[in-house]
């Protein structure tokens, strides 16, 4: 799809309605039928858009995804609606009324900010992407709050805006880009842009090294439903603060600068901290809440003899602690009649699917095995989610 205009025409909109919800197996028959009365390229574009809308439901929900327009890259790289809404709330809470959204993509963040009552200038240099962002603002009834501009973000004057939001491209011709200075635009440029407004937020990869975070920034790692989605560098909030935010909720854990927890013997319970907690280096804060320690100084698993519900970590009851030995594990699982096996790992080179093939679980019961290290030694911990029937 290189031109959005045909899909915005009355004929294009009618076709989009007609192909809504078309299953992949039905596409050929639907396309053959529709091409009798409509241009083949328009039919293909409508079916392609229908596929993208179906993919976008996971990020935007069925209501919005069914009205919005997408590009393949836009679906892949856009911010999940729940994460964008959280960021918009944070902007609104500090009194931001206008934002320059630089590298706006298909407009996911602009939509969330507009719904929070914030006026947005959304900028993208790609003509098709800018057209899609504009169409989305109109489709969702937000055009009065969102101005979309096709331009190079480095040429945009952000003076007069309460805040700047920058979501630089983190993919190149060879896939993901891990060096913040290889972002487009580079992180250093985004930091300078942040300095032009009272408040700013820079979206970065969750794997950003902590040493790359500017001293003037607050760093926030965000997960949604247990999956780490992004990190954000905030300016104009709490310089030097580090937080992990878990959605839905939100629940936020702030750094208190605690030292690393002590290593302890395996206790009755193992706690798996949320990925945002791990990325933000806040495992010590969670361990303190759980009266726990680490299985290994280099592994983000917390162990304790106490079961305490905690929103920042998932608890498992440990039934067996074995040195790494596939034959012993296979025998144990056969004895327990375990047929549903969940394999988790931290600090192990063994792939979960490889282990599952070797132990060939069979039976009516379920178990979780952790491939990890205990005090430096490869180990296997067998257990089940705390509170699950034995």
């Amino acid at each position: 799809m290189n031109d959005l205009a045909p899909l915005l025409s009355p004929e294009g909109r009618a076709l989009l309605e007609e192909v809504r919800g078309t299953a992949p197996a039905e596409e050929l028959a639907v396309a053959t039928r529709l091409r009798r009365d409509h241009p083949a390229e328009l039919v293909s574009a409508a079916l392609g858009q229908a596929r993208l809308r179906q993919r976008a439901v996971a990020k935007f929900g069925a209501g919005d995804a069914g009205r919005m327009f997408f590009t393949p890259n836009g679906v892949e790289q856009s911010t999940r609606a729940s994460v964008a809404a959280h960021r918009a709330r944070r902007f609104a809470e500090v009194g931001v009324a206008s934002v320059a959204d630089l590298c706006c993509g298909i407009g996911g963040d602009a939509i969330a900010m507009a719904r929070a009552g914030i006026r947005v200038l959304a900028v993208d240099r790609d003509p098709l992407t800018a057209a899609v962002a504009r169409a989305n603002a109109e489709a969702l009834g937000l055009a009065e709050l969102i101005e979309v501009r096709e331009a190079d973000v480095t040429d945009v004057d952000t003076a007069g805006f309460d805040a700047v939001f920058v979501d630089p491209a983190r993919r190149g011709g060879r896939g993901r880009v891990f060096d913040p200075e290889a972002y487009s635009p580079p992180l250093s440029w985004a930091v300078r842009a942040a300095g032009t407004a009272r408040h700013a937020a820079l979206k970065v990869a969750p794997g950003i090294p902590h040493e790359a975070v500017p001293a003037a920034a607050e760093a926030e790692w965000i997960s949604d439903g247990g999956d780490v989605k992004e990190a954000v560098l905030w300016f104009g909030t709490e310089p030097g603060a580090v937080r992990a935010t878990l959605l839905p909720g939100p629940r936020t854990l702030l750094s208190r600068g605690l030292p690393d927890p002590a290593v302890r013997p395996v206790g009755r319970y193992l706690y798996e901290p949320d990925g945002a907690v791990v990325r933000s280096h806040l495992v010590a804060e969670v361990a303190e809440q759980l009266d726990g320690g680490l299985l290994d100084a280099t592994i983000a698993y917390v162990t304790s003899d106490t079961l305490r519900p905690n929103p920042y970590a998932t608890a498992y009851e440990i039934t067996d602690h074995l040195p790494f030995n596939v034959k012993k594990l296979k025998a144990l699982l056969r004895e327990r009649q375990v047929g549903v096996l969940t394999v988790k790992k931290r600090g192990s080179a063994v792939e979960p699917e490889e282990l599952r093939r070797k132990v060939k679980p069979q039976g009516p019961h379920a178990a979780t095995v952790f491939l990890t290290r205990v005090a430096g030694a490869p180990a296997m911990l067998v257990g089940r989610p705390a509170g699950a029937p034995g």
Side-chain angles (χ1 to χ4, degrees):
M1 185 185 71
N2 297 315
D3 185 6
L4 185 65
L7 286 177
L8 299 177
S9 69
E11 182 181 14
R13 291 181 184 276
L15 270 177
L16 284 172
E17 285 301 314
E18 192 160 353
V19 302
R20 181 186 296 272
T22 300
E26 301 171 344
E27 282 191 5
L28 180 58
V30 171
T32 301
R33 175 174 57 80
L34 293 176
R35 284 170 182 165
R36 296 171 188 156
D37 302 309
H38 304 281
E41 288 186 358
L42 183 57
V43 172
S44 295
L47 285 168
Q49 193 61 224
R51 285 195 300 272
L52 293 174
R53 285 177 167 181
Q54 291 169 15
R55 285 173 52 194
V57 168
K59 282 190 173 182
F60 291 91
D64 282 354
R67 292 184 289 164
M68 292 172 67
F69 295 86
F70 300 95
T71 63
N73 285 341
V75 174
E76 179 71 23
Q77 298 175 19
S78 58
T79 303
R80 183 177 289 264
S82 55
V83 178
H86 165 71
R87 183 166 26 250
R89 281 194 301 270
R90 289 206 63 186
F91 271 135
E93 285 169 359
V94 294
V96 167
S98 61
V99 173
D101 178 0
L102 308 181
C103 310
C104 70
I106 62 169
D109 277 282
I111 289 165
M113 289 186 280
R115 283 177 168 164
I118 298 171
R119 179 173 58 85
V120 183
L121 170 65
V123 183
D124 203 284
R125 68 181 178 184
D126 178 68
L128 176 59
T129 302
V132 170
R134 188 175 296 110
N136 287 336
E138 293 172 356
L140 298 179
L142 299 169
E144 290 188 1
L145 283 171
I146 301 174
E147 174 194 346
V148 179
R149 184 181 302 174
E150 179 193 327
D152 189 313
V153 296
T154 61
D155 296 331
V156 175
D157 182 5
T158 58
F161 289 90
D162 294 337
V164 170
F165 171 59
V166 188
D167 181 5
R170 294 177 298 282
R171 288 181 180 272
R174 296 183 179 179
R176 293 184 184 274
V177 172
F178 297 99
D179 178 4
E181 284 306 297
Y183 294 174
S184 180
L187 179 60
S188 56
W189 179 89
V191 171
R192 289 195 297 273
T196 65
R198 287 190 298 110
H199 298 281
L202 313 181
K203 180 177 172 180
V204 295
I208 185 172
H210 280 233
E211 57 269 23
V213 175
E218 169 201 325
E220 179 182 31
W221 277 261
I222 303 173
S223 68
D224 187 16
D227 294 328
V228 182
K229 296 302 179 185
E230 62 182 56
V232 186
L233 306 183
W234 292 92
F235 294 82
T237 53
E238 302 177 61
V242 176
R243 69 174 67 205
T245 296
L246 281 56
L247 302 175
R251 293 181 179 273
T252 295
L253 181 67
L254 282 168
S255 171
R256 293 170 46 223
L258 299 179
D260 291 340
V263 174
R264 298 186 184 181
V266 178
R268 182 176 178 182
Y269 298 99
L270 179 149
Y271 291 87
E272 181 182 30
D274 183 274
V277 171
V278 177
R279 292 283 194 176
S280 56
H281 297 178
L282 298 183
V283 174
E285 279 72 8
V286 171
E288 183 185 63
Q289 293 178 6
L290 298 170
D291 190 24
L294 298 180
L295 294 174
D296 183 274
T298 64
I299 305 294
Y301 281 142
V302 176
T303 186
S304 174
D305 287 318
T306 306
L307 178 60
R308 293 181 181 175
N310 189 289
Y312 304 109
T314 303
Y316 295 84
E317 184 175 8
I318 299 303
T319 57
D320 300 272
H321 171 198
L322 308 171
F324 185 84
N325 186 305
V326 175
K327 288 184 178 179
K328 288 185 178 180
L329 178 64
K330 184 176 181 178
L332 176 66
L333 297 176
R334 185 186 301 117
E335 177 187 334
R336 303 279 172 82
Q337 295 183 303
V338 171
V340 180
L341 182 65
T342 300
V343 182
K344 293 176 171 286
K345 70 166 195 168
R346 280 183 181 165
S348 172
V350 178
E351 292 300 324
E353 285 305 318
E354 176 188 352
L355 181 70
R356 197 177 281 108
R357 283 195 301 270
K358 288 181 177 179
V359 299
K360 300 176 182 177
Q362 292 182 347
H365 300 140
T368 300
V369 61
F370 294 87
L371 305 177
T372 187
R373 291 195 300 272
V374 173
M380 299 183 295
L381 305 179
V382 181
R384 54 180 173 263

